[in-house]
Amino acid sequence: MRKSKRLIAILATVALLVTMLIPMSAVPAFAAGTISALSVPTLVDDPAMVQKAGTIKVTVPAGSIDFNDNVIIKLPGEYDFDTAFQGLAVGVPGPASAVNTATLNEVVVPATVGSDSNGLLAVDIEVTVLDENDEVQIKCVNAAGQSLSFDFVFYVYLDGIEVEDGTDKDFVVNFDAAGTSGFPTGDVTAAKCSGTGQVILIPSGQDTSNNDFTIDLRIKEETAGSLELGEETLSLELPSGYVWTCSSVPFLYVAPRWGQGIFVEIWYNTDKDTIYIDLLGADLNKNGIQDAGETTATSEASCWDINGFLKFTVDDEEDCEAGSIIAQVGGDSDTNVSEGPVGTFGEFGSKVSAEDVQEIFAGQEEQEIGNVVIEESLEATLVDGRTVTLTLPDGVAWMPVYASAGDLDDFSADEGLDVNFVSFTGSDDRTAKFTVDSESNDAAKIKLEDCEVAVEAGFEGDVKVTVGGTAGVTGEVVVATVKAPVTATADSTPNIIIGASGPAAGVLTIKENIKEALIEDETLTLDLPPDVEFDGTPTVEVTEGNLDVSNVKRVAGNNKVEFNIDNNSSTPSTIVVSNIKLKVYRTVPEGNIDIKVMGDAVVETDGYDLWTNSDYAAKTAIAVCATPAPSDEKATVVFKINDTSYTVNGVAQTMDVAPYLKGGRTFLPVRYVAQACGVSADNILFSNGKVTLIKGDKVVQMTIGSKVMIINGASIDMDVAAEISNGRTMLPFRFIAQALGASVTFDDTAQTVTMVI
């Protein structure tokens, strides 16, 4: 029950409010109808001028006028009727016809409104001047015959208006009527006021030259009468170093772009640095013939072009600075600018720049660089027959894609200048030479685009093209920035003991710096230093991205690991190489053990003859050789018959072939014996069945199947010949050990050979 009473109370309150609002909404705030200006011209604050404001159209809905309805039209305080208000014109054509060519102020009731009759024709209205300066009344004196079908329309012509000096307020006309009147009320802007009339100057068609110049000048009045009559209407003063060369004209008709034509005189002063354009008068008949010599200012907004006539030249080149030529604007007319550019003075020369600078990668070929742009400052700067050269930095070479074509199809020459490719100069493909095959009629812009380069592996930084040649073009621009395609890091660098076998190195991480940095269907190689080998095949896996790798294996005497890149990555990918175990020989020096990332998957330019030391894309230390390579210290190496394990100073090592007994002789693998005796892997050579060992100043050679050993050119007879077993050269251990300066013993019981080096 309580809830129902509250609802009843709320409804009662709403009903009371509605009752109170009904009388208020029955009386409109403004009468129906519209007031609008057909145009809004700009007036000048000059009381001496008779000026036209915009015509005002008033629309009254059909049947809404009663006897004695009236509306008062009042001008703003800064404006007056310059000519007396003429009253009423009824039944004449509307404003689309020339009903009011004089400077009249009057009310016009047209016979028709569009295709309909004007409903106001049957209503008697009268116009009364309440104040001869600024106020009139329109009143209905008989509404008995008004039409209920057609709207009433009348126009208020305000064509004879005087504007108070110094005003900048808009011409806002007020329509005021009683609330019960059928006439609409409100304010309407029938004109703008700009204050003092301003002349707009727009110089165009300006030349760039080091001698002769022509300018096109547009003169525009946004307000009638802005150009002052008489001498020095407008003036243009050139800076030092220039003089006007056009002829003086005492009487020149300038046709309008719109508005009225004008008659002007053009002349310059004694120093010829200032030219004057004097307004002699407006062409009232707009035909350029009649009324010549009139001294009347323009009566409507107008615009004129003076083209191809205003010319000047360099008088003293020492006073002329390269850049814009700024003329000072003067004269009696108020203008929008006090100075402006009329040309550009340029010295012969060219500017070199680059567009679309690219990011490219070291070790890659056919990489597109940015465009090289050469711009003449003046025409004919680049002389026919002269040369232009473009030189790349060391480590970067042009891809010779244009060498067989004879010219550059992609070398575009704009604005009438032809430049052709001639050749590459030098032996490193770094310099491309071109010839100028014509001279330009205008300052030309030529562009070398779509060019490709190859970059040496290991190159980093900017690719700068140096421009030279006999044509006088000089400069240096950056066209690309080079990055490494991949980076390599290790999580640690553990110490490795010389002669040890199997110690673990750090985990290697290879990251692409951009997608597709590793090339599909090519091989990536991990390369160790000489006398360091992989002791077993490491684990290779992709931990980030969508690369696929396969066929991981050791090659090159276990000094390298390689694997295939099976696809291009769509996002930069990461490869992790773990379980890296190393075999380090006695010849390895103390310090970092670096691993290089190389192979066709990451270095395309390895086969180029242009560069050295450019076979890898990245490297990093994965271990440290903790003790220096032995020199005079003794080392004991023990081999065992039929066993692939041997020891160096007690540290176990592994061979891929075991020693064996044959014919009462103990055969050992030459490579491992040589390395145990201090011969580096690089100094163990095999070619056409001949083995060469180099240790210090000693060179030992033996040939498979031969019983002759040659030491520093001297022949030594052996009682057995060198032979091949399981792909290794085998020889009785005493001959090779003694040749390399080692003492040897054989333990028949233990079946071991011991060498002391």
Side-chain angles (χ1 to χ4, degrees):
M1 292 297 294
R2 184 177 300 170
K3 185 174 182 180
S4 299
K5 288 181 178 180
R6 171 183 273 184
L7 179 61
I8 292 171
I10 292 173
L11 292 174
T13 303
V14 171
L16 177 62
L17 291 173
V18 171
T19 304
M20 295 172 63
L21 291 172
I22 289 174
M24 295 177 66
S25 62
V27 180
F30 297 97
T34 60
I35 306 170
S36 61
L38 300 185
S39 62
V40 185
T42 300
L43 307 182
V44 181
D45 62 334
D46 185 353
M49 295 179 61
V50 180
Q51 302 182 62
K52 291 185 179 183
T55 298
I56 299 173
K57 178 182 179 181
V58 181
T59 302
V60 184
S64 61
I65 295 292
D66 285 336
F67 176 69
N68 279 339
D69 280 358
N70 70 89
V71 62
I72 296 174
I73 304 172
K74 184 172 179 59
L75 306 185
E78 296 81 12
Y79 296 83
D80 292 323
F81 296 121
D82 185 83
T83 55
F85 206 93
Q86 300 299 308
L88 181 67
V90 179
V92 298
S97 301
V99 298
N100 194 12
T101 58
T103 55
L104 299 179
N105 300 305
E106 64 178 343
V107 174
V108 173
V109 179
T112 60
V113 180
S115 59
D116 298 329
S117 298
N118 190 349
L120 198 60
L121 289 176
V123 177
D124 293 333
I125 62 173
E126 64 181 16
V127 176
T128 304
V129 177
L130 303 180
D131 187 314
E132 64 180 11
N133 292 322
D134 59 12
E135 193 171 35
V136 296
Q137 180 189 59
I138 301 175
K139 183 178 181 180
C140 172
V141 294
N142 184 2
Q146 67 176 297
S147 169
L148 300 178
S149 301
F150 302 111
D151 289 343
F152 314 155
V153 175
F154 63 91
Y155 297 94
V156 180
Y157 281 85
L158 301 170
D159 290 352
I161 300 299
E162 176 185 312
V163 184
E164 180 181 311
D165 186 22
T167 187
D168 58 0
K169 295 183 179 179
D170 291 340
F171 184 51
V172 180
V173 181
N174 176 255
F175 286 70
D176 189 23
T180 57
S181 172
F183 290 101
T185 62
D187 294 335
V188 60
T189 300
K192 299 284 187 179
C193 184
S194 68
T196 303
Q198 189 177 72
V199 178
I200 307 299
L201 295 183
I202 307 173
S204 61
Q206 304 166 33
D207 289 335
T208 298
S209 176
N210 69 341
N211 192 25
D212 296 321
F213 303 85
T214 300
I215 67 167
D216 296 336
L217 185 65
R218 174 166 293 180
I219 305 171
K220 183 168 65 173
E221 285 184 323
E222 292 191 338
T223 303
S226 297
L227 274 177
E228 297 288 343
L229 284 167
E231 292 185 1
E232 300 187 15
T233 301
L234 295 170
S235 66
L236 294 174
E237 181 182 358
L238 296 171
S240 298
Y242 302 92
V243 294
W244 292 101
T245 57
C246 48
S247 302
S248 296
V249 180
F251 190 81
L252 176 68
Y253 175 71
V254 183
R257 289 182 59 84
W258 64 78
Q260 296 171 268
I262 54 174
F263 300 93
V264 297
E265 179 183 3
I266 298 178
W267 58 284
Y268 45 74
N269 61 358
T270 304
D271 295 333
K272 297 185 178 181
D273 62 352
T274 304
I275 199 165
Y276 300 93
I277 303 173
D278 298 344
L279 176 62
L280 302 178
D283 171 19
L284 301 183
N285 288 295
K286 304 181 184 179
N287 56 21
I289 301 174
Q290 297 178 359
D291 298 326
E294 289 284 348
T295 57
T296 304
T298 55
S299 59
E300 59 182 298
S302 303
C303 178
W304 311 271
D305 287 337
I306 301 178
N307 292 341
F309 183 82
L310 302 177
K311 300 177 183 292
F312 63 95
T313 190
V314 173
D315 181 53
D316 187 351
E317 191 169 322
E318 292 185 359
D319 288 341
C320 301
E321 297 183 0
S324 295
I325 304 168
I326 305 299
Q328 300 300 312
V329 178
D332 294 335
S333 299
D334 182 29
T335 58
N336 65 312
V337 292
S338 60
E339 63 180 20
V342 292
T344 303
F345 179 78
E347 298 176 350
F348 284 112
S350 298
K351 180 179 71 173
V352 181
S353 60
E355 295 178 346
D356 301 327
V357 175
Q358 300 292 307
E359 185 177 78
I360 61 178
F361 293 91
Q364 305 291 320
E365 59 185 15
E366 296 183 358
Q367 299 187 89
E368 187 172 326
I369 60 174
N371 304 326
V372 179
V373 180
I374 302 173
E375 296 178 84
E376 292 182 309
S377 58
L378 297 175
E379 64 183 61
T381 293
L382 299 176
V383 178
D384 184 22
R386 300 288 180 87
T387 62
V388 176
T389 58
L390 306 178
T391 302
L392 295 168
D394 188 22
V396 184
W398 298 105
M399 292 299 299
V401 291
Y402 305 119
S404 60
D407 60 10
L408 288 170
D409 294 334
D410 292 321
F411 195 74
S412 61
D414 299 333
E415 302 178 21
L417 184 64
D418 293 328
V419 180
N420 291 327
F421 173 74
V422 177
S423 64
F424 294 110
T425 61
S427 59
D428 54 5
D429 288 349
R430 289 173 49 209
T431 300
K433 180 180 179 180
F434 308 86
T435 58
V436 180
D437 288 347
S438 64
E439 293 184 3
S440 56
N441 296 321
D442 297 302
K445 178 180 179 180
I446 57 179
K447 185 186 299 185
L448 176 63
E449 56 188 2
D450 299 328
C451 280
E452 297 178 338
V453 298
V455 183
E456 180 182 12
F459 184 101
E460 289 188 57
D462 292 336
V463 176
K464 297 180 180 179
V465 172
T466 302
V467 183
T470 62
V473 185
T474 59
E476 186 177 75
V477 291
V478 175
V479 294
T481 300
V482 179
K483 293 180 61 177
V486 298
T487 56
T489 57
D491 67 342
S492 63
T493 54
N495 290 335
I496 303 293
I497 300 174
I498 287 178
S501 178
V507 175
L508 173 66
T509 299
I510 303 168
K511 288 188 175 183
E512 289 186 302
N513 290 325
I514 191 173
K515 67 177 183 177
E516 301 180 354
L518 294 175
I519 302 171
E520 181 181 19
D521 296 330
E522 298 292 352
T523 300
L524 191 70
T525 302
L526 307 179
D527 182 44
L528 292 172
D531 297 333
V532 180
E533 297 177 0
F534 289 96
D535 191 8
T537 303
T539 301
V540 178
E541 56 185 342
V542 177
T543 60
E544 294 182 16
N546 63 330
L547 271 180
D548 290 322
V549 299
S550 63
N551 196 25
V552 181
K553 60 184 178 181
R554 291 180 292 168
V555 295
N558 299 329
N559 181 248
K560 295 178 173 60
V561 164
E562 66 179 26
F563 50 90
N564 295 336
I565 302 298
D566 294 335
N567 63 295
N568 287 327
S569 59
S570 59
T571 59
S573 299
T574 300
I575 299 172
V576 173
V577 183
S578 59
N579 194 30
I580 302 175
K581 295 183 179 180
L582 303 178
K583 180 185 295 185
V584 181
Y585 290 98
R586 297 176 61 250
T587 54
V588 176
E590 182 182 20
N592 287 341
I593 298 176
D594 291 334
I595 192 167
K596 296 178 181 178
V597 181
M598 55 196 306
D600 293 339
V602 71
V603 178
E604 295 179 310
T605 58
D606 187 21
Y608 280 48
D609 296 331
L610 305 176
W611 310 305
T612 59
N613 194 29
S614 61
D615 58 348
Y616 64 92
K619 73 174 181 178
T620 187
I622 59 172
V624 174
C625 185
T627 57
S631 53
D632 296 333
E633 68 272 21
K634 298 292 185 180
T636 301
V637 184
V638 179
F639 296 93
K640 187 172 184 178
I641 304 301
N642 297 324
D643 194 341
T644 56
S645 294
Y646 68 103
T647 62
V648 178
N649 290 335
V651 179
Q653 306 281 353
T654 302
M655 302 179 291
D656 54 8
V657 62
Y660 56 84
L661 294 174
K662 181 178 179 181
R665 295 291 189 181
T666 302
F667 283 77
L668 297 182
V670 172
R671 171 175 293 275
Y672 293 101
V673 174
Q675 289 180 332
C677 292
V679 179
S680 69
D682 289 342
N683 288 334
I684 302 174
L685 310 174
F686 184 87
S687 177
N688 297 324
K690 179 181 291 187
V691 178
T692 302
L693 309 175
I694 304 172
K695 181 182 180 183
D697 59 357
K698 184 176 291 187
V699 178
V700 180
Q701 293 178 308
M702 61 204 73
T703 302
I704 303 301
S706 173
K707 295 182 179 180
V708 176
M709 176 185 290
I710 301 174
I711 301 177
N712 289 346
S715 297
I716 306 295
D717 292 331
M718 301 182 295
D719 56 5
V720 293
E723 62 183 34
I724 299 293
S725 177
N726 293 329
R728 289 295 185 189
T729 302
M730 309 294 288
L731 198 67
F733 68 89
R734 290 190 183 276
F735 291 105
I736 186 170
Q738 291 173 355
L740 295 174
S743 61
V744 296
T745 58
F746 179 73
D747 186 335
D748 187 54
T749 303
Q751 293 286 289
T752 58
V753 176
T754 301
M755 294 184 180
V756 178
I757 302 146

